[in-house]
Amino acid sequence: MKGNKSLSRESSTSWRAWRKTTIRVFVGLNLLIIVGFYVATSSFHGGLSHMDESSSHTSGTDAHRHGRMLGAQEAKQQPQLLTLADPNGDARAIVSGASQAEAHLKELHQPQDVRADKAVVAEQTRFYTGPLDVDEATMKLAMVINQTYWDDPSEKTWWNKPGYHLSYMEDYPPYPYQRIKSEDGKDTGVVALIAPFYDLTYYRAEMARAMFWRMKANGQVVIGISSYQEFPGQITNPFDDRHTTEADWEIYKATDGWLHCFREPDQWIPPGVPRVLLSESDFHNPERRDDGGSLQPWGLEKLYDVAYSNQGGEWNDWARNWTLAKPSFIQLIAETNATVLILGRDLTKEEDLQPLIASGNIVSHEKALWRDFLKLIEQSRSLVTFNVHDASPRVLAEAMCMDVPVLINWHILGGWKYATEQTGEDFVDTASFIQAYKRLREPERKARLRPRQWYRENSGYYRASLQLQAFLHTVVGDKKMKSAKQLMTDRHAEP
């Protein structure tokens, strides 16, 4: 019994000792977790406090963003990683003792003030001292680029063809940015700003503004393109949600160049920014023929005297000048018994047009795929744009590709250059529109019309892509263009 009692006491003592040890370990681990959590949250709140302190003195555009440059405190803690914003545009990281991948991960977690990006851009900027209008120099270089390509004895393939073009709309970078690519589909390091920033989506607009300064500070080339109403001027469409602010004008002035569509560019383009008369509508390929649509005529029968495109709604009615189009069509039909094709707009609520619809003088097509839209254009004897606040409508280029003459409002912001002896007529009001329409019907005038030939000889995808490449190398320079493209390669930018 004594042996059993002794054994029992020893077991009890061992159990109590084990339990105390376990409790101490548990408490110790919890204390470590609590201390670690406290340290982490203190650092986190310290970062937030730093951001709050800074943002209390700056606007939303100047808010801290992730980026490349290290603050003094972080630089001391991470001596193995340094960054350099070179005045010549080289903003690549200089890494010692760490791989490029590690450096990229670390730099993503460094706070970056937009003001610092602006400072880098200001330091990199070399004031442009050449002529503002570089159309002649651009065309000369474009011809040299083209001749060099054809003189090269190597095989001619799509991947070594010269020329730059606007990429399709993508999520990154988001609208209103659009990447510019070479003919092999690779990123050139050039991004185009093609419209004003949103009014109604504050955070999206502020991020897009900050993105401009970040791309420029990194060494990318950013140009502007006038392809959205009065942009970069103030948008006057009362139904639009994009307008230019003072901060936006500062961005526009910091672009590397501008493709414009205006008769008088000084009224619209920021001062000191080199420019060339080149529109998105110049990039149509008149030789295109695929499942999506054909810009080569099919030889279809003419069914309509004049076509007009307007997708409807308040915004489009303003941009397509429905207030002039509607009475002009009524008067035209009264004088000439013309057949008018209206594409895209709902006419069911237009009571004064119902008799003309019933008589067949107005034909409406609300919805049409692009390939069918082009066929309807080809079936028309002419196409009219009453637009004023429009930056070179693509439908003008599409009509000319389909060998359809055009009637263009003389007051249009962009696209006025398409009204020539070979392509059509311009007008200023209802009376002059009807007179221009009648002139196009005259046999002698019809004999001089060659809209497709004119577009192929003076515009079109290949010619415009050469001009874009030549313009960039003229106003930006070969060195910076090469650096911008290398930056995209180093950052593994998607094709």
Side-chain angles (χ1 to χ4, degrees):
M1 290 296 291
K2 285 183 179 181
N4 289 337
K5 288 180 180 180
S6 176
L7 182 59
S8 177
R9 284 195 296 270
E10 291 175 0
S11 298
S12 177
T13 301
S14 299
W15 164 251
R16 285 195 296 270
W18 180 84
R19 185 174 61 182
K20 289 180 180 179
T21 302
T22 302
I23 291 172
R24 290 191 186 101
V25 172
F26 179 78
V27 171
L29 287 174
N30 277 275
L31 286 173
L32 287 174
I33 292 172
I34 291 170
V35 170
F37 179 76
Y38 174 78
V39 171
T41 54
S42 296
S43 299
F44 177 72
H45 286 295
L48 288 181
S49 299
H50 173 65
M51 293 177 66
D52 291 339
E53 181 182 352
S54 298
S55 61
S56 65
H57 299 289
T58 60
S59 67
T61 306
D62 292 326
H64 282 66
R65 295 179 54 76
H66 291 311
R68 310 194 75 257
M69 301 181 68
L70 296 173
Q73 183 177 355
E74 290 83 354
K76 292 178 181 179
Q77 294 172 350
Q78 300 180 6
Q80 75 278 13
L81 175 63
L82 303 174
T83 59
L84 174 67
D86 188 88
N88 294 322
D90 185 2
R92 293 170 295 179
I94 298 177
V95 181
S96 174
S99 68
Q100 290 284 352
E102 290 171 342
H104 186 57
L105 287 174
K106 289 177 181 178
E107 66 185 56
L108 288 177
H109 293 84
Q110 304 305 322
Q112 174 61 50
D113 195 314
V114 172
R115 292 171 301 181
D117 281 338
K118 291 182 179 180
V120 172
V121 173
E123 189 177 354
Q124 291 175 355
T125 300
R126 296 292 180 265
F127 290 105
Y128 180 78
T129 57
L132 292 181
D133 295 299
V134 295
D135 300 78
E136 184 178 349
T138 293
M139 185 54 66
K140 286 182 179 179
L141 181 56
M143 293 173 65
V144 171
I145 293 172
N146 181 56
Q147 192 63 47
T148 301
Y149 170 71
W150 289 108
D151 289 345
D152 190 336
S154 61
E155 183 182 3
K156 303 296 184 289
T157 60
W158 62 268
W159 62 80
N160 65 9
K161 194 175 181 180
Y164 295 164
H165 65 272
L166 286 164
S167 177
Y168 294 107
M169 294 297 180
E170 301 167 299
D171 292 334
Y172 304 101
Y175 191 82
Y177 294 109
Q178 202 168 347
R179 288 199 289 175
I180 291 178
K181 297 183 178 181
S182 52
E183 283 303 291
D184 58 4
K186 293 182 180 179
D187 198 320
T188 61
V190 182
V191 173
L193 178 61
I194 64 173
F197 302 108
Y198 282 114
D199 294 343
L200 303 181
T201 50
Y202 169 78
Y203 292 108
R204 183 186 300 179
E206 289 296 277
M207 286 190 290
R209 291 182 176 102
M211 181 180 289
F212 172 87
W213 297 110
R214 169 42 46 89
M215 290 189 294
K216 287 279 291 180
N218 281 349
Q220 285 187 256
V221 175
V222 185
I223 64 172
I225 300 182
S226 296
S227 60
Y228 190 93
Q229 300 181 89
E230 295 95 339
F231 175 74
Q234 192 60 263
I235 305 300
T236 57
N237 190 331
F239 308 104
D240 206 288
D241 59 0
R242 295 172 180 271
H243 297 88
T244 295
T245 67
E246 290 185 11
D248 297 338
W249 194 248
E250 182 183 359
I251 287 173
Y252 304 159
K253 290 192 295 184
T255 56
D256 295 285
W258 209 280
L259 311 187
H260 76 91
C261 60
F262 306 112
R263 273 193 179 93
E264 300 177 354
D266 286 341
Q267 294 185 9
W268 308 98
I269 307 302
V273 177
R275 64 219 182 185
V276 65
L277 181 61
L278 187 62
S279 304
E280 282 198 51
S281 54
D282 293 325
F283 284 82
H284 277 69
N285 181 4
E287 313 308 324
R288 174 177 174 175
R289 176 168 285 185
D290 53 42
D291 292 339
S294 173
L295 287 172
Q296 299 182 46
W298 295 95
L300 302 176
E301 180 186 1
K302 298 295 184 181
L303 301 178
Y304 316 103
D305 293 311
V306 61
Y308 164 76
S309 178
N310 178 351
Q311 299 304 309
E314 293 176 324
W315 191 95
N316 277 295
D317 278 352
W318 167 272
R320 315 305 174 214
N321 204 0
W322 178 243
T323 55
L324 176 60
K326 180 178 173 180
S328 295
F329 289 142
I330 293 174
Q331 185 64 28
L332 176 69
I333 293 169
E335 292 189 24
T336 67
N337 196 35
T339 301
V340 177
L341 172 65
I342 297 180
L343 294 162
R345 196 182 189 282
D346 179 14
L347 301 179
T348 57
K349 296 181 180 180
E350 304 292 338
E351 295 182 3
D352 50 349
L353 296 184
Q354 298 312 308
L356 298 176
I357 294 173
S359 66
N361 288 105
I362 290 182
V363 179
S364 174
H365 278 273
E366 278 192 57
K367 303 291 183 182
L369 296 174
W370 187 64
R371 60 173 179 263
D372 299 323
F373 173 87
L374 293 174
K375 291 179 179 178
L376 290 168
I377 294 296
E378 186 187 355
Q379 290 177 305
S380 304
R381 294 181 179 87
S382 61
L383 176 131
V384 60
T385 55
F386 292 93
N387 317 15
V388 173
H389 306 274
D390 203 334
S392 199
R394 295 170 182 81
V395 69
L396 287 173
E398 292 165 348
M400 288 186 289
C401 287
M402 304 307 290
D403 211 23
V404 174
V406 292
L407 293 157
I408 302 172
N409 190 332
W410 186 92
H411 296 289
I412 195 169
L413 288 172
W416 49 270
K417 65 183 182 181
Y418 295 139
T420 72
E421 179 70 12
Q422 290 180 283
T423 61
E425 300 276 345
D426 56 26
F427 60 91
V428 296
D429 54 19
T430 295
S432 60
F433 159 65
I434 295 174
Q435 291 302 315
Y437 169 83
K438 290 178 179 179
R439 283 195 297 273
L440 288 183
R441 308 276 290 183
E442 296 171 358
E444 292 184 2
R445 182 73 180 89
K446 288 174 67 175
R448 298 195 300 271
L449 291 172
R450 295 178 179 81
R452 176 174 170 82
Q453 178 182 330
W454 183 92
Y455 187 82
R456 293 181 68 192
E457 292 176 354
N458 296 276
S459 196
Y461 179 83
Y462 183 61
R463 181 185 180 95
S465 66
L466 288 176
Q467 286 179 272
L468 177 54
Q469 180 179 351
F471 172 72
L472 287 166
H473 283 269
T474 297
V475 302
V476 176
D478 295 342
K479 181 179 179 181
K480 189 171 182 179
M481 287 295 296
K482 183 178 180 180
S483 175
K485 185 174 183 179
Q486 186 62 46
L487 176 67
M488 294 298 96
T489 302
D490 294 342
R491 292 299 180 94
H492 306 291
E494 295 181 3

